[in-house]
Amino acid sequence: MAEKSSVFDMIGPVMIGPSSSHTAGVVRIARAAIRVLGAVPQEAIITFYNSFARTYEGHGSDRAIIAGLLDFKTDDKRIKEAFDFARERGLKYTFKSVGNASTMHPNTIKLNLKADNREVEVVGQSRGGGVISIVEVDGFSSNFSATLHTLIIDADDKKGSIAFIASVLAHDECNIATMSVSRKGRNELARQFIEMDSGVKPVTLEYMKQLSWIKQVIYIPNIDL
Amino acid sequence: MSLLFNDFKSWEKHCAETGELLYQPVLAYEIEQKDRTEEFIWENIARAYDVMKDAVHTGLTEDMRSRSSMVNNGAKKVASSPVTVLSPEFKMLVSRALGAKEVNSCMGRVVAAPTAGASGILPGTLTTLQELHGLSDRSIHEGLLVAAGIALIIEQNASLAGAVGGCQAETGSAAAMAAGAIVYCLGGSVDEVFTAVAITIQCMLGLVCDPVAGLVEVPCIVRNASAAAIAFSSAQLAIAGVNAVIPVDQCVAALGEVGESMERKYKETAEGGLANTPRAREIENFVLVQDVEILPDEEGS
């Protein structure tokens, strides 16, 4: 049976208009992306695809994405003036529009972000009602909503690594909601995307980071918090 | 086990058997299904109502012009119009629903109730009702929970999304939620509350979602005003004992059926209805981004 809706899906969410998929969802994609980057970026290239490519200005999705990159929440009244805040914070940005990307969801955004010497590429879909899915990170395919607690782990592609990580999380009493593994080739680096119902303790994160075969751990608590 | 809001019949039966008021099983549902405390629910319902009041106020006091310029301070024009067509109260209702929805179109803060496109209807109706009848905030908060229960049932048996069921699913559902809440807040019986929902659905049935240039502006904003008026007319009929004839669950099923058979061009695609008029196409030219790189069609796929 599908998950039951909340009273606050009916009377809510509290959000900035005009539409949940063009504002709230867009803010969330950016909030997820800056957590992958680990900082508010200094430079951003934002590509709007398909339906978004034509409609993003009229619906204010350009302001929404900048607001999210500045870590504003979905109900923040400053979203409308996001461009002014970007200037103040020194965020440089470029918008691009691409249509007819037939393999992509109608409301897709690609973010290329830069902060100091770190760069990430994140592709997200705004799926309606403010719900998002992050479908690609640095070329690795993924599928997480970022409304639970998400772990992104880069590890050597070796036998038993998934079971090991799942066991470590179980010892921290984290219930895994979704998990996907993506690798670019056999025996190459694999990236694991794990969504959990509750947060991970710092000591557990630290432990995983110390393991020789784990190259990177990115932890993204619920992006609405 | 809490009531699951599968239909109006079981909600009515539950209240008849337990003697509970309509909002109580909604509260129990949220506590059980979503693991929330009663305190959390009342706090957040109060916050939602505060945001609604704030949106009404903003729409009537601040500059409300959208980037497309299709929205241009309509609520303030209504409120300050020298001509009162029906009554000062009616003018107040219409300007408030319009104002809260204009805030939504102009990137202000609103409560999606049930959706952003219908976000002026509950604020317009409930703030007006509260003022006219001197109701407490608590009473309105209970009414909002009743409205949420109504929406939960419509979501399950029809739809709340314009892209799925047309405008009737968005503004129609919001008007039904408002009408039910009005009758509840005025002390109507369970049967009268559900009759108000049924009559409202009968009035809103068939509305297509045909937004000009795809924006949540025209005709969404004026439909928020008319939906607020229909919520009041339905509440007046229901509380006076007028029979809806078709039971409320069957009205919801009809809403679902009409939504399902509606053509795609009338479901938020901006391809039919008002969105396909010559003037709408002109507006599209300056609203839509023109500098789009179009990828070639994939061959052999």
Side-chain angles (χ1 to χ4, degrees):
Chain A
M1 197 177 70
E3 176 95 349
K4 287 281 183 188
S5 293
S6 159
V7 160
F8 297 104
D9 297 324
M10 307 295 114
I11 307 293
V14 172
M15 56 168 274
I16 298 300
S19 98
S20 49
S21 42
H22 285 84
T23 40
V26 170
V27 170
R28 284 202 175 110
I29 289 171
R31 286 175 65 85
I34 60 171
R35 279 158 181 75
V36 176
L37 181 70
V40 168
Q42 287 130 12
E43 280 178 60
I45 301 169
I46 300 136
T47 313
F48 290 98
Y49 289 93
N50 297 342
S51 168
F52 265 8
R54 282 203 189 282
T55 60
Y56 79 84
E57 275 186 7
H59 281 96
S61 305
D62 46 357
R63 291 156 202 248
I65 200 86
I66 297 300
L69 291 176
L70 295 171
D71 210 13
F72 294 178
K73 290 185 182 178
T74 52
D75 63 349
D76 195 318
K77 282 188 170 176
R78 295 175 299 173
I79 290 174
K80 195 174 177 178
E81 278 92 39
F83 293 158
D84 299 336
F85 287 95
R87 207 170 306 121
E88 229 170 72
R89 300 274 287 272
L91 164 62
K92 289 192 205 112
Y93 52 84
T94 318
F95 293 113
K96 288 183 182 171
S97 270
V98 176
N100 205 24
S102 56
T103 57
M104 286 169 145
H105 182 275
N107 293 343
T108 298
I109 298 174
K110 182 170 83 185
L111 293 166
N112 291 86
L113 309 178
K114 227 187 256 184
D116 299 324
N117 48 11
R118 244 180 93 69
E119 279 182 46
V120 295
E121 181 181 284
V122 174
V123 181
Q125 304 171 343
S126 184
R127 304 181 61 92
V131 175
I132 64 160
S133 182
I134 300 297
V135 294
E136 213 180 288
V137 178
D138 299 328
F140 290 101
S141 64
S142 63
N143 177 23
F144 62 95
S145 68
T147 48
L148 300 171
H149 302 266
T150 312
L151 265 178
I152 303 175
I153 298 174
D154 288 351
D156 291 335
D157 182 27
K158 61 172 212 166
K159 291 189 184 76
S161 59
I162 296 172
F164 187 88
I165 289 167
S167 151
V168 168
L169 292 174
H171 280 100
D172 195 359
E173 295 187 350
C174 288
N175 187 40
I176 295 177
T178 72
M179 183 171 192
S180 64
V181 184
S182 168
R183 59 180 188 182
K184 287 179 176 166
R186 202 170 166 182
N187 296 324
E188 279 190 46
L189 197 69
R191 186 167 275 197
Q192 304 186 14
F193 298 93
I194 304 164
E195 281 188 290
M196 299 154 300
D197 292 325
S198 54
V200 186
K201 288 193 193 78
V203 65
T204 306
L205 292 173
E206 214 38 57
Y207 171 61
M208 288 193 287
K209 283 179 189 167
Q210 301 301 325
L211 297 169
S212 62
W213 51 276
I214 289 185
K215 305 302 174 199
Q216 179 178 238
V217 177
I218 297 169
Y219 177 48
I220 308 175
N222 179 343
I223 51 163
D224 290 326
L225 297 177
Chain B
M1 173 107 170
S2 66
L3 189 72
L4 290 177
F5 293 89
N6 293 322
D7 53 31
F8 285 93
K9 203 173 172 181
S10 56
W11 193 2
E12 185 163 28
K13 187 162 168 271
H14 175 93
C15 290
E17 282 170 4
T18 60
E20 287 181 356
L21 295 170
L22 275 170
Y23 79 87
Q24 288 172 309
V26 184
L27 204 58
Y29 167 93
E30 187 71 9
I31 291 168
E32 191 177 300
Q33 294 295 320
K34 295 289 149 186
D35 234 346
R36 280 172 170 152
T37 63
E38 187 172 340
E39 193 190 1
F40 174 93
I41 299 169
W42 287 119
E43 260 175 39
N44 280 277
I45 282 290
R47 171 161 191 249
Y49 190 47
D50 284 345
V51 173
M52 288 183 183
K53 286 195 268 196
D54 194 37
V56 166
H57 179 74
T58 303
L60 287 169
T61 51
E62 291 180 20
D63 186 32
M64 288 296 132
R65 274 179 293 185
S66 67
R67 224 151 149 193
S68 72
S69 73
M70 290 194 286
V71 182
N72 188 0
N73 293 300
K76 285 203 287 291
K77 283 180 192 150
V78 175
S80 63
S81 164
V83 183
T84 297
V85 172
L86 181 56
S87 70
E89 292 81 7
F90 187 76
K91 198 160 134 182
M92 182 163 89
L93 170 70
V94 168
S95 67
R96 287 178 172 187
L98 204 68
K101 179 62 192 71
E102 285 184 340
V103 168
N104 164 264
S105 294
C106 297
M107 295 197 85
R109 188 191 282 160
V110 293
V111 184
T115 61
S119 57
I121 296 164
L122 282 163
T125 49
L126 296 183
T127 59
T128 304
L129 181 80
Q130 182 174 30
E131 207 171 302
L132 292 181
H133 294 271
L135 299 173
S136 65
D137 275 348
R138 166 73 189 206
S139 165
I140 300 292
H141 297 163
E142 288 178 11
L144 281 170
L145 284 175
V146 173
I150 293 167
L152 284 169
I153 296 171
I154 298 176
E155 187 197 36
Q156 278 193 61
N157 301 320
S159 169
L160 299 173
V164 178
C167 187
Q168 54 163 15
E170 293 207 24
T171 61
S173 299
M177 292 160 74
I182 292 168
V183 175
Y184 173 83
C185 289
L186 295 179
S189 67
V190 171
D191 185 49
E192 286 163 3
V193 171
F194 291 175
T195 298
V197 174
I199 292 175
T200 307
I201 293 173
Q202 292 175 11
C203 296
M204 302 293 289
L205 204 62
L207 277 179
V208 299
C209 179
D210 52 354
V212 170
L215 301 177
V216 200
E217 298 183 12
V218 176
C220 321
I221 294 174
V222 294
R223 278 190 197 158
N224 271 250
S226 60
I230 285 176
F232 269 96
S233 68
S234 304
Q236 181 69 76
L237 297 175
I239 213 161
V242 173
N243 189 348
V245 182
I246 309 298
V248 62
D249 283 312
Q250 294 178 33
C251 292
V252 174
L255 184 73
E257 184 212 302
V258 171
E260 260 175 39
S261 52
M262 209 176 260
E263 278 186 52
R264 192 184 159 276
K265 63 180 176 177
Y266 300 126
K267 291 180 181 175
E268 215 183 285
T269 52
E271 286 169 7
L274 295 171
N276 194 33
T277 56
R279 180 62 188 138
R281 294 300 180 202
E282 282 168 24
I283 291 168
E284 262 180 9
N285 281 335
F286 66 83
V287 166
L288 297 184
V289 176
Q290 300 300 320
D291 182 20
V292 179
E293 176 196 348
I294 300 292
L295 298 179
D297 283 323
E298 274 178 70
E299 280 170 37
S301 62

